[in-house]
Amino acid sequence: MATGLERIGELLRAHPERRLDTLMHLVNRESLEQAHKDQPTGKAAGVDNMTKTAYGENLRENLDNLIQRMKTFSYRPQPVRRTYIPKEGGGSRLRPLGIPAYEDKLVQGVMAEILKAIYEPKFYSFSFGYREGKGCHKALQYLGGELVKRVNWVVDADIRGFFDNVSHEWMMSFLEHDIADKNFLRYIRRFMKAGMMEQGKFLETDKGVAQGGLVSPVMANVYLHYALDMWFDKVVTKKCAGYASMVRYADDAVFCFQRKEDAEAFYTALKERLAKFGLEVAEEKTKIIPFGRYAANAETFDFLGFTIISGKTRRGYFVVKYHTSKKKLKAKRQAVKFWLRQNMHLPVPLLIKRLNLKLGGHYNYYGVSQNSKKLVDFYQYVKWQLLRTLRWRSQRDKTNWKRFDRILHFNPLLPPRLRVNLYEAIV
């Protein structure tokens, strides 16, 4: 598998516009077995109720059967099991999640690696979502680097229900531009048309890609690469009278402009461009705001859970600041409060140990430059909620601050700490 992917990279480096016509041979016993090993244990099962452990009991026979069915084209992906998870910061709103059957996870995992090998060299440097070595912090760094340039206006854009509205016809057209292997494309189409099961009912899928599928993230990037990224680079920047740039993480995008008229013209064109590919701008969430070194009355905007703020250092130099957004902070507080209620009867040392894991995860993501105050605020909130939780354990509980401090002396809460320097150069 690794050798095959390296060969794809070599071919594309030598012939960037070449269409690849022999890919399905990479979906073989070796690659499927590796995909099985890579699957995490204990994940939710799809409509087949198959788990990694159960499938692995007869792994060789199962893979032989799967490969034979793929060769004869009798293999058909099963419908994904649709479930819903709470949308962070969204109150009662839920996010749809599609869980594929276990065999489909294996095939999708291999096909996703093939697509990555094909498209990684093609993707732009300002595209960060679902790409190895290009996480959220890298996207924030890149955005900060753009905002300190000749930027005075920002278009904070939101695509409405992107994953649910991807056009299957356009998706296949984009893939056919780079892939000539009809059998590979046939299975991609089958995955998109597999449908879904929700509350025992089968629902057809004539558009969209399921969030939760292993191949969906790279397909989403391919779709936006052609529908948005390439258009911005090849057309928009050429028409702008001043400087223009963008940064995208999955379907979240921010566009930076030097001139207001360029930003306004782009916003009008963006709505038309997205409509062409079956998408639309969520106008209630999209705005054009002044922002930058020379912007008058600079406003703030949110990106990847942070509020981006135009500020100055102590010496008066312009600086981009990153604070945990109010929406995300509220959601995090509600989540930790609910978790403490659910786990209040655990032994105190175990309760605090598990709570520290959650604090560590919070610090790892939100512990960025200029965000120390928000970290301390969250820490103090968690500390107060922990005290309240201990008092709720019994009507006769007499935990006061003195006793609480003694508990924390032997079982300390993880203190807030900055983990990421967003002002370092992007490597």
Side-chain angles (χ1 to χ4, degrees):
M1 180 66 172
T3 304
L5 298 181
E6 290 171 1
R7 178 59 179 160
I8 290 175
E10 292 173 359
L11 287 172
L12 291 177
R13 281 191 291 272
H15 309 282
E17 300 303 320
R18 176 171 179 167
R19 296 177 71 218
L20 301 174
D21 54 7
T22 53
L23 297 175
M24 277 307 295
H25 71 284
L26 296 174
V27 187
N28 52 40
R29 171 190 290 281
E30 180 185 0
S31 60
L32 289 169
E33 188 171 348
Q34 185 60 50
H36 169 73
K37 292 178 181 177
D38 293 340
Q39 288 296 314
T41 304
K43 287 292 185 179
V47 295
D48 58 347
N49 291 319
M50 179 63 69
T51 63
K52 177 180 180 178
T53 302
Y55 195 86
E57 290 176 355
N58 297 292
L59 182 61
R60 180 174 294 274
E61 294 81 357
N62 288 333
L63 292 182
D64 285 341
N65 179 269
L66 173 58
I67 292 170
Q68 181 60 33
R69 283 182 285 132
M70 293 193 74
K71 288 180 177 178
T72 59
F73 301 106
S74 60
Y75 163 71
R76 290 189 174 275
Q78 299 183 59
V80 300
R81 180 171 70 85
R82 170 167 273 191
T83 185
Y84 293 87
I85 59 176
K87 196 169 184 179
E88 188 174 2
S92 60
R93 293 189 301 167
L94 300 174
R95 182 189 302 277
L97 187 68
I99 304 174
Y102 190 78
E103 277 191 341
D104 298 339
K105 290 181 182 179
L106 302 185
V107 179
Q108 284 193 32
V110 176
M111 298 183 84
E113 292 301 315
I114 296 171
L115 288 174
K116 288 176 185 177
I118 296 171
Y119 285 101
E120 272 299 319
K122 300 177 184 292
F123 289 153
Y124 285 93
S125 60
F126 54 71
S127 169
F128 289 87
Y130 311 124
R131 297 179 63 190
E132 187 175 352
K134 284 181 166 285
C136 294
H137 293 144
K138 292 290 185 181
L140 290 166
Q141 279 183 297
Y142 186 92
L143 175 61
E146 291 301 304
L147 292 174
V148 299
K149 295 179 181 178
R150 295 167 292 164
V151 171
N152 299 312
W153 296 89
V154 163
V155 178
D156 179 20
D158 186 277
I159 302 175
R160 190 188 308 278
F162 168 71
F163 284 91
D164 293 331
N165 292 292
V166 168
S167 164
H168 290 178
E169 289 70 27
W170 276 113
M171 184 78 255
M172 294 308 301
S173 295
F174 295 149
L175 294 173
E176 288 167 0
H177 181 268
D178 305 294
I179 299 172
D181 189 329
K182 293 183 179 180
N183 293 333
F184 187 89
L185 294 173
R186 176 186 295 186
Y187 280 118
I188 290 289
R189 184 180 289 277
R190 285 186 181 183
F191 277 119
M192 290 193 296
K193 298 291 186 182
M196 63 182 64
M197 294 294 294
E198 183 173 351
Q199 295 181 345
K201 296 181 180 179
F202 174 77
L203 304 175
E204 293 186 356
T205 48
D206 57 354
K207 63 179 180 178
V209 290
Q211 294 188 67
L214 277 69
V215 76
S216 299
V218 64
M219 288 174 61
N221 267 339
V222 171
Y223 199 91
L224 288 174
H225 170 76
Y226 284 110
L228 183 60
D229 300 355
M230 185 174 288
W231 169 69
F232 187 89
D233 179 66
K234 303 293 185 183
V235 178
V236 175
T237 58
K238 302 299 186 294
K239 291 184 177 181
C240 288
Y243 182 76
S245 65
M246 68 171 284
V247 57
R248 180 176 64 80
Y249 188 94
D251 57 332
D252 292 333
V254 174
F255 305 89
C256 308
F257 297 91
Q258 182 180 7
R259 301 168 67 93
K260 184 178 182 180
E261 52 268 33
D262 289 339
E264 293 174 337
F266 164 76
Y267 181 48
T268 301
L270 177 65
K271 291 187 285 187
E272 297 175 0
R273 177 71 178 182
L274 292 181
K276 177 180 178 179
F277 298 101
L279 305 173
E280 65 174 316
V281 173
E283 296 194 44
E284 70 279 5
K285 298 181 181 179
T286 302
K287 55 186 178 181
I288 302 174
I289 64 169
F291 193 102
R293 187 188 303 272
Y294 305 109
N297 302 316
E299 299 180 19
T300 66
F301 63 95
D302 289 353
F303 184 59
L304 301 181
F306 290 88
T307 297
I308 313 301
I309 303 169
S310 177
K312 291 185 177 181
T313 65
R314 293 178 180 178
R315 296 183 178 182
Y317 298 114
F318 174 78
V319 66
V320 177
K321 297 183 177 182
Y322 312 84
H323 290 177
T324 309
S325 72
K326 291 181 179 179
K327 179 180 176 181
K328 292 295 183 182
L329 188 57
K330 180 180 178 181
K332 291 289 184 180
R333 286 181 169 184
Q334 290 175 341
V336 76
K337 181 179 179 180
F338 178 78
W339 184 87
L340 284 168
R341 290 281 187 94
Q342 294 294 104
N343 296 273
M344 62 188 297
H345 294 298
L346 287 175
V348 173
L350 181 59
L351 178 67
I352 295 177
K353 181 179 179 180
R354 293 184 179 178
L355 183 58
N356 280 337
L357 293 177
K358 295 186 173 295
L359 282 171
H362 185 85
Y363 300 156
N364 285 340
Y365 186 76
Y366 291 102
V368 305
S369 312
Q370 302 286 344
N371 198 35
S372 57
K373 184 179 183 302
K374 294 293 184 179
L375 288 190
V376 172
D377 289 347
F378 184 71
Y379 170 82
Q380 294 294 350
Y381 177 83
V382 171
K383 186 177 179 179
W384 168 240
Q385 286 300 325
L386 176 60
L387 173 60
R388 295 184 68 188
T389 300
L390 296 179
R391 288 174 174 173
W392 287 332
R393 289 157 65 100
S394 170
Q395 292 182 351
R396 298 180 180 180
D397 188 272
K398 298 180 180 180
T399 302
N400 52 28
W401 277 106
K402 185 176 180 179
R403 184 178 179 186
F404 185 55
D405 286 340
R406 183 172 176 80
I407 291 174
L408 293 183
H409 176 76
F410 292 101
N411 303 277
L413 276 178
L414 189 66
R417 180 182 176 186
L418 298 183
R419 304 286 177 85
V420 182
N421 182 2
L422 292 182
Y423 300 126
E424 289 180 340
I426 300 176
V427 179

